[in-house]
Amino acid sequence: MRELLAKLPKVDKVMQAEVITAWQAELDLDYIKETIQLEIDKIRQRILDGEATDPEVVAFDQVVNQVNDALTIRVQPSLKPVINATGTVLHTNLGRAPLSEEVVQAIAELAPSYSNLEYDLAAGKRGSRYVHLKDVLKQITGAEDALVVNNNAAAVLLMLSALTEKQEVLISRGELVEIGGSFRIPDVITRGGARLREVGATNKTHLKDYQQAISDQTGAILRVHTSNYRLVGFTDHVSDHDLVELAHEKGVLALNDLGSGLFLDMQQFGLPYEPTVQEAIRAGFDVVTFSGDKLLGGPQAGIIVGKKHLLDKIRSHPLTRALRTDKVTLVALEVTMRQYLNPEVALEKIPVLQKISQSLDQLQAKADKMIRAINDLSEDWQAERQPGQSQIGGGSYPGSTLPTALVQIAHAHCSAAQLEHYLRTRTKPIIARVQQDYVQLDVRTLLDSEMDEIIQVLKDM
């Protein structure tokens, strides 16, 4: 061990290697030195732990190559595109909704340029970034006004901060949801300056529970749609109509956090009923919040729609500036929302809707085409079609799946774990499922071009 440690090359000597000095044209000297030190420290620790015993690990050329590889990795963007072969349409870990071609083109045109983000072109003076989506969201939802912030948790926080500070907010115990990252609705309510008042039981909440809880301290009744879980069995809840009617009868606000948000009825594609934003507005809720990057298929955003006098109050709250969105998000969301002005265009253009709306016949045809191509690579490959289920994901449609076609692959000379690792570590990573000793590719979330990329990767293995 001591002999190996003594032979570790010095940082300055590694710096002088030709392949390392070449990096000075691209990187700061301190950054290069730091990388060298980190890699030498890694080798030293492996020796001390007894993991490295081969003298080759401290050979000068070996260390130089290791540092060069580390520098190559460090200069690459950490965030990179991947191929989603899991079948989970809104895969939170993989960035949720992919954006439409029209959105990508709009971003490419706007991002390198100045824009009228906060400039009124007609008046020739300062304008507001909040006007760009107002009209299209009003048109789609039927609301009087609209505002966009950076995510739905922010939208709920802002809504409560602006409208219910120091007041009680009534919420059913069955709606005290926890969203991703351990963030909980009760915490959002209290952080917004309101006081939480739970009503009813976890599985059943009746209108009388709200009636008995309302007092002169009550500022609002909050409905939280449980979009990421389901209560089944001996359950009951108050209808939107009755909840709104009670709130307005008692002079308090009726607020609704729809969570993932939805503009179109997905029952036509075999999914269960989910309330739409338009239905919430028609039911009379004063303010409704929802996400832009889930079922709507846009960028990450929190959308607030509702009564104009309340949206004006929210818009003027100091938190609004802290939670505002940038020009790239706004243009991406605006293009996506405009596609919803014609539902047929939305189904054709928005990738999330495209993936959800594919029929089983279409999926099986895609899978069969891919299977033929894989089996033609060599006799080492075995590919076959298996029935499966796709998840929607992203905290939407919990417990509901769609039938799909899986391309199940195996190689004669490597295990499923080895094949999965190979796919995941390509320049453009391929994220797949593993079932027993097979790798499975769900074609629901694969574009034709991505299927071709996967086949080429398998061919190169």
Side-chain angles (χ1 to χ4, degrees), residues 136-156:
V136 67
L137 285 169
K138 286 168 57 179
Q139 179 69 27
I140 295 169
T141 66
E144 294 178 9
D145 203 353
L147 175 67
V148 176
V149 291
N150 54 24
N151 61 42
N152 189 50
V156 176

Side-chain angles (χ1 to χ4, degrees), residues 4-245:
L4 287 178
L5 291 173
K7 290 183 177 179
L8 274 170
K10 304 296 183 185
V11 171
D12 290 344
K13 185 177 179 183
V14 177
M15 277 288 297
Q16 295 169 11
E18 183 178 354
V19 68
I20 303 302
T21 57
W23 282 102
Q24 294 181 31
E26 190 174 341
L27 299 173
D28 180 75
L29 193 61
D30 289 339
Y31 189 84
I32 299 171
K33 285 183 177 180
E34 178 191 82
T35 305
I36 296 170
Q37 188 63 65
L38 285 171
E39 295 308 309
I40 291 176
D41 288 346
K42 288 179 185 178
I43 298 170
R44 180 180 292 108
Q45 192 60 52
R46 289 180 60 213
I47 295 171
L48 292 172
D49 292 341
E51 296 176 5
T53 57
D54 189 341
E56 185 65 23
V57 298
V58 295
F60 181 74
D61 289 344
Q62 173 66 24
V63 174
V64 167
N65 288 336
Q66 182 172 326
V67 171
N68 186 56
D69 290 343
L71 286 166
T72 302
I73 292 171
R74 290 191 76 180
V75 298
Q76 291 176 353
S78 175
L79 193 61
K80 62 180 68 178
V82 304
I83 294 176
N84 176 13
T86 68
T88 301
V89 178
L90 293 169
H91 201 306
T92 299
N93 302 137
L94 304 183
R96 290 189 180 153
L99 302 176
S100 71
E101 292 181 9
E102 289 76 13
V103 169
V104 173
Q105 182 179 348
I107 292 173
E109 291 176 357
L110 185 78
S113 306
Y114 293 103
S115 69
N116 62 327
L117 177 65
E118 292 187 350
Y119 187 77
D120 187 330
L121 294 171
K125 61 182 182 180
R126 181 170 182 165
S128 169
R129 72 177 60 211
Y130 303 117
V131 303
H132 300 290
L133 278 139
K134 184 187 294 187
D135 287 342
V136 67
L137 285 169
K138 286 168 57 179
Q139 179 69 27
I140 295 169
T141 66
E144 294 178 9
D145 203 353
L147 175 67
V148 176
V149 291
N150 54 24
N151 61 42
N152 189 50
V156 176
L157 177 64
L158 178 59
M159 172 180 71
L160 295 172
S161 298
L163 303 180
T164 65
E165 188 175 10
K166 297 181 181 179
Q167 296 177 296
E168 283 187 349
V169 173
L170 307 187
I171 182 172
S172 167
R173 286 188 173 89
E175 297 174 4
L176 295 174
V177 304
E178 178 178 304
I179 58 177
S182 300
F183 292 100
R184 297 175 175 176
I185 282 295
D187 297 332
V188 175
I189 292 174
T190 54
R191 290 289 182 182
R195 298 191 304 276
L196 173 67
R197 178 78 181 272
E198 300 175 22
V199 301
T202 301
N203 60 323
K204 281 198 171 191
T205 301
H206 304 284
L207 188 63
K208 65 181 180 181
D209 296 318
Y210 289 101
Q211 291 170 329
Q212 293 169 357
I214 290 179
S215 70
D216 58 1
Q217 300 297 310
T218 305
I221 297 175
L222 174 64
R223 162 139 289 168
V224 178
H225 178 53
T226 56
S227 59
N228 62 354
Y229 72 94
R230 284 282 183 271
L231 287 175
V232 297
F234 190 58
T235 64
D236 196 13
H237 75 286
V238 181
S239 70
D240 286 349
H241 176 271
D242 289 346
L243 197 66
V244 169
E245 187 174 62

Side-chain angles (χ1 to χ4, degrees), residues 147-155 290-292 299-304 325 333:
L147 175 67
V148 176
V149 291
N150 54 24
N151 61 42
N152 189 50
F290 51 98
S291 296
Q300 177 179 297
I303 303 172
I304 308 172
T325 52
L333 189 60

